[in-house]
Amino acid sequence: MNSSEQTTPLLEVRHLSKHFGAVQALNDFSMAVRPGEVVALAGDNGAGKTTLIKAISGVFQPTGGEILLRGQPVTFATPQEAREKGIETIYQDLALADNLSIGANIFLGREPMRKAFGFLPVLDRKAMAVAAKQTMGRLDFHVSRLDAPVSNFSGGQRQAVAIGRAVYWDAQILIMDEPTAALGVPEQRKVISLIHQLKAQGRGVIFISHNLQDIFAVSDRIVVLRRGIQAGERRISETNHDEVVKLMVGG
Amino acid sequence: MTSTSPIETHVAPQADHGDPARSWLARIAEGRAWLFLAGLIICFEVWSRLSFGATFVLNPFNVQSIAIFAVAPLLLATGQTFVIISGGIDLSLGFIMGLAAVVAAHATNMAGVAMPVPLAMMLGILAAVIVAGVPGVINGLLISRLRIPPFIGTLGMFGVARGAAFLLAGGTTVPVQNSWFALLGNGRFYGVPYLVIIAAVFVVVMHYILSQTRFGQHNYAIGANVQAARRAGIDIRGHILRLYVLSAMCAGLGGALYAARFTAGAAQAGEPLLLDSVAAVVIGGASLFGGSGTIFGTVAGALVIAVIQYGLVFVNVEPFWQFIAVGLVIIISVLIDQAQRRFSGARQDE
Ligand SMILES: Nc1ncnc2c1ncn2[C@@H]1O[C@H](COP(=O)(O)OP(=O)(O)O)[C@@H](O)[C@H]1O
Ligand SMILES: [Mg+2]
């Protein structure tokens, strides 16, 4: 469970900055994520959390600083490049095609094909369904109807599908921007337990949330952002709600 | 990217969900075009027997006429199905069809001077489909590169294709001098018109593309959530370009077959068919919001329209009733769709 601080971090950012004109959305920010570690990113609205994960996931280029993947410096021109290197971002608005099945969503953009009658290329829906079942099973998430469109599922289940897609394509680092924000309480619990699964599988997770309850339930460490600056970093076992709130609001 | 808007779900469930009432309604909504078709045929049969003591649907001549009648709107509607599933619309298809009909006539005649009749016919059809692809490319570029809404971009192309078609036709219809072409448009194979055979093969191919290829799969995804599709690495621009070329080429084939049937190309060939094509897609179960629809649904939708139009003439009703009847079917169809959505939406998050 415990992340040994000696192992090479999966992902490390050093002195990362991002300016939008005069706005310093992120300023000299550093943090690291190790295998099997869940790092919570907390901070008030406008603190720079989304800016940070967009810089990490290739949505835009940082103005300064560097990103290291297993110790190697990397730059991502596009989110696609970040994804190919195993960094998957799961947005809170659930990037799924609601009219397609779980399998079709997992394979969206890279669908497996097979030959019908020995010559005609057709979508291999069976392979998609099998992979969907296995993947969702690994997340301890069982659905009876694998051919149903994901619009039939609840918000938490859809969140699980998005995570399942990342797991299937073997993302080593999952970045989740407020994954529980749009969900009811039971669904939030489900997502939290999914994050525990990811951790147990040795993946690194960066987890953005406003909800301290969730943060304390699932994280190993918490990094607090305030107006683009790293306002503090604590092991979850060595801090409490009060201290985190103080770090967030300052003073 | 972190907007908090709830996920929009415009999409009809495509499978049953264990809940009998819900799956029952979903099935009706899904197959409504075929139900309409059956209902209409029964109505006309009863009407015909009561008024004239004659059968409507068991008369092979009627069946053939309806099938031929449905071919051109169906070709447009097949392309339109792809476009509507992607969340777009193509208003230029009618005049692209007209342009293609004129091109088919001219090209066949010109080629006929220099080469054998069958070859000239094939060249004419090919020319029609390829020329039709040009406005499709422009539509695709306008929509994918310059981000012009499909409604506006294809409305512009509606005008351009219309003008080009009339100019090319010299303001009149262009007769085709080619015996094979005439045979293609009016001949039969064991009683089945060639046109219907071509349309049937075409529909099966298009069904394959929509339901069994990545292109089709991406088309559904883009219609449901273009953001998700983009994040999944789908080349949206390339897809949109190919999509509008495909729909324009469907209209191109429609134009060539029109020229074959009437042995003449006319710029206004597809003018009344554009709205019929949209109507066929909607009656066939697609949502104008994008993300749902099937080729066979559209086939049923096109047949519904053809049966209404032909049937009302057959039972001697003033032709203006056609418009009213088709309009009512569209409205009822959309109402069923919405009822079904509301019903499944209400149970979404249980
Ligand atoms: N694309 C952008 N252009 C200009 N300013 C931006 C942009 N994105 C974010 N900002 C600014 O950067 C700051 C940090 O925003 P953000 O990273 O979204 O914060 P958080 O996700 O923590 O709420 C805010 O002041 C915001 O207005
Ligand atoms: Mg944010």
Side-chain angles (χ1 to χ4, degrees):
Chain A
M1 280 299 274
N2 219 332
S3 60
S4 70
E5 244 108 286
Q6 286 83 275
T7 53
T8 318
L10 271 175
L11 176 78
E12 190 177 359
V13 299
R14 288 186 190 155
H15 311 296
L16 213 62
S17 299
K18 178 68 191 178
H19 303 180
F20 296 106
V23 181
Q24 296 219 337
L26 201 63
N27 204 346
D28 197 26
F29 179 90
S30 301
M31 71 175 280
V33 187
R34 292 180 175 74
E37 191 181 33
V38 179
V39 179
L41 208 55
D44 216 344
N45 274 329
K49 306 181 295 292
T50 300
T51 302
L52 172 64
I53 65 163
K54 284 184 176 174
I56 294 174
S57 62
V59 175
F60 46 54
Q61 310 305 308
T63 318
E66 57 178 352
I67 302 169
L68 296 98
L69 206 58
R70 295 188 185 82
Q72 302 296 315
V74 285
T75 53
F76 303 124
T78 63
Q80 211 56 36
E81 285 186 29
R83 178 175 291 150
E84 277 157 21
K85 291 273 169 61
I87 300 178
E88 188 87 21
T89 310
I90 291 160
Y91 293 93
Q92 76 195 150
D93 56 353
L94 302 173
L96 298 178
D98 270 335
N99 53 348
L100 303 182
S101 66
I102 294 178
N105 269 288
I106 288 177
F107 286 96
L108 190 56
R110 26 193 177 184
E111 293 81 0
M113 305 295 289
R114 67 180 174 87
K115 290 269 196 302
F117 319 115
F119 74 97
L120 191 66
V122 296
L123 292 172
D124 195 346
R125 292 186 201 280
K126 193 156 169 233
M128 292 197 252
V130 168
K133 198 180 172 82
Q134 284 174 355
T135 308
M136 299 318 278
R138 279 171 77 186
L139 295 174
D140 204 15
F141 177 99
H142 302 279
V143 274
S144 50
R145 298 208 45 94
L146 282 164
D147 57 341
V150 296
S151 61
N152 290 334
F153 299 142
S154 68
Q157 290 172 318
R158 279 188 283 213
Q159 194 72 252
V161 174
I163 293 170
R165 178 167 60 189
V167 168
Y168 182 84
W169 294 103
D170 212 25
Q172 289 306 307
I173 296 154
L174 284 93
I175 303 175
M176 300 186 211
D177 195 356
E178 311 234 14
T180 56
L183 307 178
V185 173
E187 295 275 282
Q188 290 180 5
R189 292 223 182 89
K190 184 78 206 172
V191 171
I192 295 298
S193 89
L194 283 174
I195 294 176
H196 279 298
Q197 303 271 358
L198 297 171
K199 181 179 160 60
Q201 292 165 10
R203 301 170 209 275
V205 178
I206 298 177
F207 168 65
I208 297 183
S209 180
H210 274 109
N211 187 330
L212 290 182
Q213 212 91 32
D214 287 355
I215 289 176
F216 276 83
V218 77
S219 314
D220 299 299
R221 274 186 303 130
I222 180 167
V223 177
V224 179
L225 261 167
R226 188 167 70 233
R227 283 188 237 106
I229 296 170
Q230 212 238 54
E233 179 173 349
R234 297 286 184 277
R235 307 184 124 276
I236 284 295
S237 53
E238 295 162 5
T239 187
N240 55 45
H241 283 45
D242 270 355
E243 189 184 23
V244 170
V245 170
K246 282 206 184 92
L247 286 172
M248 281 167 64
V249 298
Chain B
M1 282 202 191
T2 56
S3 76
T4 52
S5 66
I7 320 100
E8 294 184 46
T9 51
H10 294 306
V11 176
Q14 289 156 349
D16 78 299
H17 323 285
D19 174 340
R22 179 168 159 184
S23 69
W24 188 74
L25 198 62
R27 285 228 180 91
I28 288 188
E30 214 178 281
R32 64 187 183 269
W34 295 104
L35 291 177
F36 276 130
L37 188 60
L40 280 168
I41 289 171
I42 292 167
C43 281
F44 281 122
E45 184 66 26
V46 171
W47 193 336
S48 171
R49 280 179 192 250
L50 292 181
S51 311
F52 316 107
T55 174
F56 172 71
V57 71
L58 300 179
N59 180 342
F61 179 79
N62 287 349
V63 174
Q64 262 183 18
S65 304
I66 290 169
I68 291 176
F69 207 63
V71 166
L74 178 59
L75 290 190
L76 292 200
T78 324
Q80 194 75 268
T81 305
F82 278 81
V83 174
I84 285 177
I85 289 172
S86 82
I89 191 149
D90 192 340
L91 300 180
S92 63
L93 288 182
F95 281 110
I96 291 177
M97 176 178 159
L99 178 66
V102 174
V103 168
H106 274 317
T108 307
N109 291 344
M110 279 194 270
V113 178
M115 57 184 76
V117 173
L119 211 59
M121 172 191 78
M122 290 203 271
L123 213 76
I125 295 174
L126 200 65
V129 174
I130 289 172
V131 171
V134 175
V137 169
I138 299 172
N139 279 336
L141 290 176
L142 287 175
I143 294 161
S144 67
R145 304 270 152 168
L146 303 178
R147 300 183 176 278
I148 295 179
F151 191 93
I152 304 299
T154 60
L155 186 62
M157 189 50 63
F158 165 99
V160 173
R162 179 188 207 171
F166 277 106
L167 284 172
L168 203 60
T172 73
T173 56
V174 183
V176 181
Q177 264 91 37
N178 184 308
S179 55
W180 275 61
F181 213 21
L183 185 67
L184 181 78
N186 298 282
R188 288 171 163 68
F189 180 77
Y190 289 105
V192 185
Y194 290 128
L195 288 183
V196 174
I197 295 172
I198 293 172
V201 171
F202 176 78
V203 155
V204 169
V205 171
M206 297 300 268
H207 169 74
Y208 161 75
I209 294 176
L210 182 60
S211 68
Q212 298 299 333
T213 68
R214 286 185 181 144
F215 179 83
Q217 188 82 347
H218 297 174
N219 203 48
Y220 281 105
I222 288 170
N225 188 343
V226 68
Q227 284 268 37
R230 189 175 292 120
R231 279 180 202 156
I234 294 172
D235 170 16
I236 309 287
R237 285 177 166 185
H239 181 94
I240 298 287
L241 179 60
R242 275 174 276 158
L243 176 64
Y244 283 87
V245 171
L246 177 74
S247 74
M249 285 182 155
C250 292
L253 182 62
L257 296 188
Y258 176 97
R261 183 174 162 211
F262 296 102
T263 56
Q268 69 277 17
E271 188 172 11
L273 302 185
L274 170 69
L275 287 180
D276 283 353
S277 80
V278 177
V281 177
V282 171
I283 295 170
S287 157
L288 283 175
F289 293 112
S292 68
T294 62
I295 294 293
F296 288 125
T298 296
V299 171
L303 287 174
V304 163
I305 296 172
V307 166
I308 289 176
Q309 291 175 338
Y310 185 87
L312 286 176
V313 172
F314 184 79
V315 295
N316 248 334
V317 169
E318 274 198 85
F320 305 112
W321 283 101
Q322 292 170 17
F323 302 123
I324 295 174
V326 173
L328 288 178
V329 174
I330 294 174
I331 292 169
I332 295 170
S333 176
V334 172
L335 285 176
I336 293 177
D337 188 45
Q338 284 185 342
Q340 188 270 139
R341 272 164 217 285
R342 218 170 297 132
F343 194 65
S344 65
R347 291 158 170 244
Q348 200 111 81
D349 282 313
E350 59 196 333

